């Protein structure tokens, strides 16, 4: 029994040594390309009903503003603010107004002002977009 135990112990030691002598495969970290997407937390309201959404990337932001303009075209009064860009300012409010019959111009203006921290309100009546930005 003693010889059997010594044989098993010797085998275990030799097996451990054999494993430690194996060539180690080092995996070098591969550089990864990651896209840094802009994240926007947007508070918006449609005819006074408030909602919130988190948008990842510019494509989602563009689709959101397109959707808001489509709702305004259907007669809804929409309002939205990019919470990540809005900065609490002094007690005086800055109000900007922009009117156009071009949906693409209204879209670009609304995105620009929302990214600057303004609360943007859009109404569309008879094809005329009235955009108001309040900071």
């Amino acid at each position: 029994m003693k010889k059997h135990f010594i044989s098993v112990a010797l085998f275990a030691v030799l097996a451990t040594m054999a494993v430690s002598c194996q060539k180690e495969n080092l995996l070098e970290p591969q550089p990864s390309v990651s896209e840094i997407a802009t994240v926007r937390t947007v508070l918006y309201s449609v005819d006074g009903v408030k909602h919130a959404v988190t948008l990842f990337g510019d494509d989602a932001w563009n689709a959101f503003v397109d959707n808001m303009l489509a709702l305004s075209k259907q007669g809804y009064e929409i309002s939205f603010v990019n919470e990540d860009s809005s900065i609490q300012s002094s007690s005086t409010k800055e109000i900007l107004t922009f009117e156009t019959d071009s949906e693409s111009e209204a879209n670009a203006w609304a995105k620009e002002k929302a990214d600057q921290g303004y609360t943007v309100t859009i109404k569309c009546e008879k094809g005329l977009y009235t955009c108001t930005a309040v900071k």
Side-chain angles (χ1 to χ4, degrees), residues 97-101 105 128-131:
T97 303
F98 177 72
E99 289 185 341
T100 182
D101 58 356
E105 287 179 4
L128 181 67
Y129 292 93
T130 303
C131 308

Side-chain angles (χ1 to χ4, degrees), residues 38-110:
T38 305
V39 178
R40 291 176 178 91
T41 303
V42 181
L43 301 178
Y44 68 100
S45 67
V46 178
D47 279 348
V49 180
K50 296 181 180 184
H51 305 277
V53 66
T54 301
L55 304 171
F56 298 94
D58 291 333
D59 291 340
W61 174 238
N62 293 334
F64 173 80
V65 176
D66 289 345
N67 189 31
M68 293 294 104
L69 285 169
L71 287 172
S72 72
K73 203 173 195 179
Q74 294 173 11
Y76 296 98
E77 181 177 330
I78 59 103
S79 178
F80 59 93
V81 61
N82 179 358
E83 279 291 294
D84 299 321
S85 294
S86 67
I87 300 171
Q88 299 300 329
S89 60
S90 64
S91 61
T92 60
K93 290 192 174 191
E94 181 181 0
I95 300 173
L96 305 173
T97 303
F98 177 72
E99 289 185 341
T100 182
D101 58 356
S102 168
E103 185 174 346
S104 62
E105 287 179 4
N107 187 319
W109 189 87

